[in-house]
């Protein structure tokens, strides 16, 4: 019987399997109910008591060899068949749906590109801020009346209950974080989402986008602010005849402060706010206000996008109606 085992093992190792018919012939010859391996198990009962353990062990190994070869070649043939189907050059090509950037993200990316060319670096920060970075450091303590316009969505912090946290109402906290971590000269823009407790209308939303900028150095003036913003707006709208004006206004973190308006010829539209950084803000971030000064500005890409593409309702940007959004791709 040992000779039979060796002979069958050699036949299994030398058996060539190249297609499904040869695979089925292998199964019938070796591992089917009437195959050679099964017949040897039937003959095992006639072996002597001392031979049975050794013969049984070798028979099991022979069975594993036959079944292993059968299973491996079966898998190879299945995978080969799948590959042939996948590479059928007569089939038409497959179309895949590819996503695209939201129109507001496209606008902010264009903002960033223009400001990078002017020499600004891009920074970012958390959307959940503490009161110090969002209000106090920006010369807006809790008793300041201007804070009522932005004192909005508060968030409970489970670990740190000693501070108040709020969904940031502007991206100015990014400026504070940057000034605390770096020394002048500083020239940055901060794009991102902000949140305010506003009634949702065609021109207002509780969440919108801002791109704020900051330039701190030894000899920065309001003239630098005006020249830079006029150049940016004319570049963005690709209109050299674009008119820009600065109206006196009030922001607690800048002095003097101004509203930025623009016009193509008929009427004026507010685009954002700007001003020279208040000395108190510089002192709050440990910058020498006697040596350094600078300007800050904030622009609304949502409103600029509406104006550029003739959109008359801000809510359309956030309703995720693909019929509306696809026209900008």
């Amino acid at each position: 019987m040992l000779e039979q085992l060796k002979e069958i093992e050699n036949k299994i190792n030398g058996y060539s399997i190249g297609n499904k018919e040869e695979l089925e012939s292998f199964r019938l010859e070796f591992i089917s109910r009437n195959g050679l391996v099964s017949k040897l198990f039937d003959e095992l009962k006639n072996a002597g008591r001392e031979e049975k353990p050794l013969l049984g062990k070798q028979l099991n190994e022979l069975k594993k060899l036959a079944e292993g070869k059968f299973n491996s070649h079966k898998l190879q043939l299945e995978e080969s068949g799948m590959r042939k189907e996948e590479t059928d050059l007569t089939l038409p090509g497959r179309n895949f749906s590819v996503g695209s950037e939201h129109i507001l993200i496209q606008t902010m990316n264009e903002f960033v590109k223009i400001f990078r060319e002017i020499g600004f670096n891009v920074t970012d920060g958390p959307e959940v801020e503490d009161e110090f970075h969002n209000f106090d450091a920006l010369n807006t303590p809790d008793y300041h009346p201007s804070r009522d316009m932005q004192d909005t969505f508060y968030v409970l912090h489970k670990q740190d209950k000693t501070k108040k946290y709020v969904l940031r109402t502007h991206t100015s906290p990014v400026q504070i974080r940057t000034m605390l971590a770096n020394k002048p000269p500083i020239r940055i823009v901060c794009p991102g989402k902000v949140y305010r407790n506003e009634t949702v209308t065609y021109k207002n939303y509780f969440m919108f986008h801002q791109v704020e900028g900051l330039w701190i150095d030894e000899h920065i003036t309001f003239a630098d602010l005006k020249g830079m913003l006029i150049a940016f707006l004319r570049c963005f709208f690709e209109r050299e005849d674009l008119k820009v004006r600065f109206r006196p206004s009030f922001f607690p973190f800048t002095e003097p402060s101004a509203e930025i308006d623009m016009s193509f010829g008929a009427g004026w539209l507010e685009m954002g706010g700007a001003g020279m950084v208040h000395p108190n803000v510089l002192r709050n971030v440990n910058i020498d206000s006697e040596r350094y000064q600078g300007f800050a500005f904030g622009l609304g890409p949502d409103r600029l996008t509406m104006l550029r593409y003739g959109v008359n309702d801000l809510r359309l940007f956030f309703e995720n109606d693909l019929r509306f959004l696809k026209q900008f791709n």
Side-chain angles (χ1 to χ4, degrees):
M1 191 171 180
L2 288 174
E3 293 179 359
Q4 286 180 287
L5 288 171
K6 188 64 178 177
E7 182 181 348
I8 294 174
E9 180 182 353
N10 292 335
K11 289 183 69 175
I12 291 173
N13 288 328
Y15 202 101
S16 177
I17 301 175
N19 53 50
K20 292 183 178 180
E21 289 75 18
E22 292 174 349
L23 180 68
E24 179 63 13
S25 296
F26 178 87
R27 186 189 71 82
L28 292 172
E29 184 172 352
F30 296 104
I31 59 178
S32 66
R33 175 174 293 183
N34 297 318
L36 294 176
V37 177
S38 299
K39 289 180 179 179
L40 288 177
F41 273 101
D42 292 337
E43 295 178 10
L44 181 62
K45 60 185 177 182
N46 300 323
R49 181 177 297 179
E50 295 180 356
E51 292 180 312
K52 276 187 178 180
L54 177 61
L55 291 173
K57 179 180 179 182
Q58 292 183 345
L59 264 175
N60 284 325
E61 291 176 354
L62 187 66
K63 181 181 179 183
K64 288 181 181 178
L65 175 65
E67 290 177 343
K69 184 166 183 174
F70 174 82
N71 291 329
S72 64
H73 280 80
K74 180 182 179 183
L75 181 61
Q76 289 176 13
L77 291 171
E78 289 176 350
E79 290 179 346
S80 176
M82 292 173 62
R83 284 195 295 270
K84 288 180 181 178
E85 291 178 4
E86 291 173 356
T87 56
D88 186 352
L89 299 181
T90 64
L91 293 174
R94 296 175 180 174
N95 294 323
F96 296 94
S97 177
V98 179
S100 59
E101 288 184 331
H102 193 282
I103 181 58
L104 295 179
I105 301 301
Q106 294 179 38
T107 298
M108 288 204 293
N109 287 341
E110 190 170 348
F111 272 39
V112 167
K113 179 178 180 293
I114 296 172
F115 282 117
R116 281 188 187 276
E117 292 174 352
I118 299 174
F120 284 78
N121 296 315
V122 181
T123 57
D124 194 10
E127 293 184 17
V128 178
E129 275 290 3
D130 58 57
E131 280 191 309
F132 173 77
H133 291 92
N134 198 81
F135 294 123
D136 298 341
L138 289 161
N139 202 34
T140 315
D142 57 3
Y143 57 81
H144 200 290
S146 67
R147 187 156 158 174
D148 293 341
M149 298 172 61
Q150 298 187 18
D151 214 358
T152 178
F153 304 107
Y154 279 87
V155 178
L156 178 63
H157 197 291
K158 292 184 178 180
Q159 282 76 37
D160 188 357
K161 296 184 179 180
T162 62
K163 297 179 182 178
K164 287 185 177 179
Y165 290 84
V166 64
L167 296 181
R168 66 182 182 187
T169 59
H170 42 194
T171 56
S172 300
V174 182
Q175 300 178 18
I176 296 298
R177 291 179 178 275
T178 302
M179 287 189 285
L180 285 170
N182 302 274
K183 296 299 181 184
I186 297 171
R187 184 159 37 165
I188 60 169
V189 286
C190 323
K193 295 177 182 177
V194 298
Y195 306 84
R196 293 187 187 175
N197 188 14
E198 303 218 5
T199 302
V200 175
T201 68
Y202 72 95
K203 63 178 181 178
N204 292 311
Y205 208 72
F206 63 84
M207 183 276 292
F208 55 97
H209 297 83
Q210 270 192 346
V211 176
E212 294 194 17
L214 175 74
W215 191 346
I216 303 293
D217 209 337
E218 293 188 1
H219 304 293
I220 302 299
T221 67
F222 202 96
D224 298 312
L225 168 63
K226 291 181 65 177
M228 186 275 302
L229 284 177
I230 291 172
F232 165 78
L233 290 170
R234 287 177 176 173
C235 180
F236 177 76
F237 285 101
E238 300 177 340
R239 294 279 299 268
E240 287 299 320
D241 61 338
L242 179 68
K243 295 180 181 179
V244 182
R245 74 179 183 184
F246 293 78
R247 289 182 291 107
S249 186
F250 169 80
F251 303 110
F253 32 81
T254 55
E255 180 60 37
S257 304
E259 299 282 359
I260 309 162
D261 298 335
M262 55 174 286
S263 172
F264 293 113
W268 294 88
L269 184 65
E270 179 186 331
M271 288 293 103
M276 301 300 292
V277 178
H278 199 291
N280 287 345
V281 175
L282 296 177
R283 285 190 284 267
N284 288 338
V285 294
N286 303 316
I287 291 179
D288 186 354
S289 61
E290 298 295 326
R291 178 181 177 185
Y292 295 103
Q293 60 187 28
F295 62 72
F297 61 88
L299 299 172
D302 302 3
R303 185 169 294 182
L304 286 171
T305 303
M306 292 176 66
L307 182 63
R308 189 180 196 184
Y309 295 100
V311 178
N312 57 11
D313 194 327
L314 180 67
R315 293 168 293 189
L316 292 171
F317 291 130
F318 307 109
E319 291 177 347
N320 294 324
D321 187 337
L322 296 180
R323 295 170 300 177
F324 169 76
L325 297 174
K326 280 183 177 179
Q327 63 184 308
F328 301 108
N329 298 331

